[in-house]
Amino acid sequence: MRHLWLLTLLSASCASVPLYPSRPGGSTGAPHADPLPAKVVVHLTATSDGLRQALDTRVPKSGETTFELRGTRAVAWSRGPFTLRFADGRVEMKTDLTLEVDLPVLGKQTVPVGVTVVGEPIITSDWKARLQGAKVKLESKDLRLRTAQGFGGAMESATKMTEDFIEGFSWDLAPQIKEAYQKLATPITLPAGGADGCALLRVTSIEAGPTVIAGGFEKDLALVVEPSVTMPCGTPTLDPEPPRLSNVATLPSGPFTVVVPIAARYEELARAMTLAFTDGKLFFSSTYKELFLSNPEVFASASDQLVVKLHLSGPIKAAGLSANLDGDLYFAGHPEVVDNELRIPDLEPTIETSSFLLGLKASLDKDGIRNQARSALKLDLGERFAAVREKLSKDVAFDNNLGCLRANVAKIEVTGVYPHGSYLRVYVTTTAQAGVYIPCPGVTAPPLAER
């Protein structure tokens, strides 16, 4: 009689155990991350040496202009290196000019001239760094300027040329900003076994705080972002150009915190579960070594539980009988995150699965199957976050190593997990700090003669 009862159970196991609770309707849409805007604050620090090096690379070292004296006459000029001084919220730049002019009667003459430019450094909305309200002064100790009319005309011409140059001169930051923006806008692929995941940082606006003059040029920049992670990767539509700069009265300084929602379809979670499987199989029984679990599926129930479906297969011998088990087992529980590890600590067999396993308690270890299911769905998110931290914490050099963007991701922590009908949403809080440095700390800029 006992053999007949066991045989009946083994025969019944060849059919799938009824699904409990019922699977929600399928969804073909992408999972919704619904990120909230957050500010990523970047502190810009440009030292006096860094600005001087930047000026020396952008301001021509020689040129030519003209003035009128018994006809049009040319004035050739060449400049020396810049010196900078900061005071009263303004920058004072000095350099030496050498003027070469061909004058009537006197012929070719060379005159040394000192140039001083004072102005307020600003960054315009179209990413141009320039001097606002600049004042130009040219002076020379050469006594010939007081006696020769031609020299006076040459000086006036050189002064106007310098004023026009300073008025029109700007350091175009747009290429560097565009490069950084495109790096940020490019989805970051996340390693998750066979799953497909991407992190996206959508930049909606960029703000700049007031300029601080303290032996150099400092300014806080804030990127207003909408960060998200989706599994599988979506197809984002992003503006190829960065937003225009908005100058604002204040910005929060120091480290910033961003909450990143992760939206993962259950199909992707099932693929990630296969990390615990060997060649698609999870062997769990020490007594029946050929018995295994396979084909994991994950979905949500109406009671905010995650349901895990596992296929049970393999030979079993009991009470002198031999048979092959071939059926589906269902487990349900509430997801939790403990120390950046996604777990389902209360994962238990559903009612039908419990009844089925109870009938086979003499042959199978129900607790062993449950524990293996719990272990298979336990995902260490910290390992995935380490890859993201490494990518975001690297220096990004620009402009022939004149400067760099340096970021430090201090902590990534999961703060919530919520099942939805067709996907799971996890909230991750990231704390980081970032800065732009001119020059890049620890990097020696090439000598001026080599540029």
Side-chain angles (χ1 to χ4, degrees):
M1 186 70 179
R2 181 185 176 192
H3 289 183
L4 180 61
W5 171 75
L6 184 58
L7 181 61
T8 302
L9 284 175
L10 293 173
S11 300
S13 69
C14 295
S16 294
V17 177
L19 179 61
Y20 179 87
S22 61
R23 182 192 294 270
S27 174
T28 58
H32 302 289
D34 289 337
L36 289 173
K39 287 189 178 182
V40 175
V41 181
V42 181
H43 188 73
L44 170 63
T45 302
T47 66
S48 178
D49 285 342
L51 290 173
R52 177 182 55 80
Q53 292 164 4
L55 284 170
D56 275 323
T57 61
R58 285 167 176 77
V59 178
K61 291 182 169 55
S62 61
E64 190 173 284
T65 185
T66 60
F67 72 101
E68 294 296 324
L69 178 65
R70 299 181 186 177
T72 301
R73 299 186 177 275
V75 179
W77 61 269
S78 60
R79 68 163 180 85
F82 285 98
T83 60
L84 297 181
R85 189 174 71 89
F86 297 89
D88 300 326
R90 303 172 75 82
V91 59
E92 179 185 87
M93 301 183 301
K94 289 186 176 184
T95 189
D96 293 323
L97 285 182
T98 299
L99 304 181
E100 294 184 357
V101 57
D102 189 5
L103 296 176
V105 181
L106 297 177
K108 289 187 177 181
Q109 300 292 318
T110 300
V111 180
V113 176
V115 180
T116 302
V117 180
V118 180
E120 177 189 4
I122 63 168
I123 301 178
T124 62
S125 62
D126 57 349
W127 296 107
K128 301 291 195 304
R130 58 186 299 271
L131 286 179
Q132 180 174 263
K135 304 296 183 182
V136 177
K137 181 180 180 181
L138 271 66
E139 56 184 356
S140 175
K141 296 180 180 180
D142 195 318
L143 295 178
R144 291 174 297 173
L145 294 175
R146 302 178 183 177
T147 58
Q149 177 186 3
F151 281 115
M155 281 291 289
E156 291 176 1
S157 178
T159 300
K160 186 177 186 309
M161 174 201 68
T162 306
E163 289 175 342
D164 292 344
F165 178 82
I166 294 298
E167 181 66 26
F169 172 77
S170 63
W171 179 9
D172 189 3
L173 302 175
Q176 288 80 35
I177 297 297
K178 184 175 181 178
E179 179 182 358
Y181 168 78
Q182 290 175 342
K183 287 181 181 293
L184 290 173
T186 301
I188 301 174
T189 302
L190 302 179
D196 173 28
C198 289
L200 181 65
L201 194 66
R202 182 171 177 264
V203 182
T204 60
S205 64
I206 304 177
E207 300 175 351
T211 300
V212 176
I213 301 297
F217 175 91
E218 297 188 45
K219 181 183 282 285
D220 279 326
L221 301 173
L223 287 75
V224 181
V225 299
E226 294 180 357
S228 63
V229 175
T230 56
M231 298 173 66
C233 293
T235 54
T237 55
L238 300 173
D239 193 329
E241 297 295 328
R244 293 176 70 88
L245 181 66
S246 299
N247 287 283
V248 297
T250 59
L251 275 181
S253 298
F256 55 85
T257 298
V258 177
V259 178
V260 183
I262 301 176
R265 292 186 66 87
Y266 294 117
E267 294 90 336
E268 299 300 322
L269 287 178
R271 292 191 184 98
M273 281 183 64
T274 58
L275 290 172
F277 290 54
T278 302
D279 296 329
K281 299 178 181 180
L282 181 64
F283 295 89
F284 64 92
S285 176
S286 58
T287 303
Y288 304 101
K289 300 184 182 298
E290 296 181 76
L291 202 60
F292 62 88
L293 301 172
S294 63
N295 302 328
E297 294 184 33
V298 183
F299 54 93
S301 71
S303 57
D304 294 333
Q305 288 183 308
L306 282 186
V307 178
V308 182
K309 172 186 173 184
L310 294 165
H311 192 72
L312 177 66
S313 302
I316 182 174
K317 294 181 180 180
L321 296 177
S322 296
N324 286 321
L325 291 182
D326 185 16
D328 293 329
L329 306 179
Y330 296 87
F331 301 83
H334 296 87
E336 294 181 4
V337 174
V338 179
D339 196 21
N340 283 343
E341 188 173 67
L342 178 64
R343 306 174 184 173
I344 306 182
D346 62 346
L347 188 71
E348 294 289 347
T350 60
I351 295 175
E352 284 80 359
T353 294
S354 292
S355 299
F356 170 70
L357 293 176
L358 184 62
L360 294 178
K361 65 180 179 180
S363 304
L364 295 178
D365 179 8
K366 181 187 72 170
D367 291 339
I369 296 178
R370 178 200 63 192
N371 293 339
Q372 288 289 353
R374 288 180 179 179
S375 178
L377 197 62
K378 185 168 62 178
L379 299 178
D380 185 0
L381 300 175
E383 181 181 347
R384 278 76 176 172
F385 296 153
V388 177
R389 183 186 291 112
E390 181 181 358
K391 287 187 177 183
L392 295 180
S393 296
K394 290 183 178 179
D395 291 354
V396 179
F398 57 83
D399 222 350
N400 296 323
N401 283 335
L402 277 177
C404 67
L405 170 65
R406 176 171 292 181
N408 177 46
V409 179
K411 187 176 183 180
I412 303 179
E413 180 182 19
V414 177
T415 53
V417 53
Y418 305 94
H420 290 259
S422 60
Y423 64 93
L424 183 73
R425 184 181 293 164
V426 179
Y427 288 94
V428 178
T429 300
T430 302
T431 302
Q433 200 163 2
V436 173
Y437 300 90
I438 303 174
C440 190
V443 176
T444 303
L448 296 179
E450 297 181 9
R451 291 188 262 189

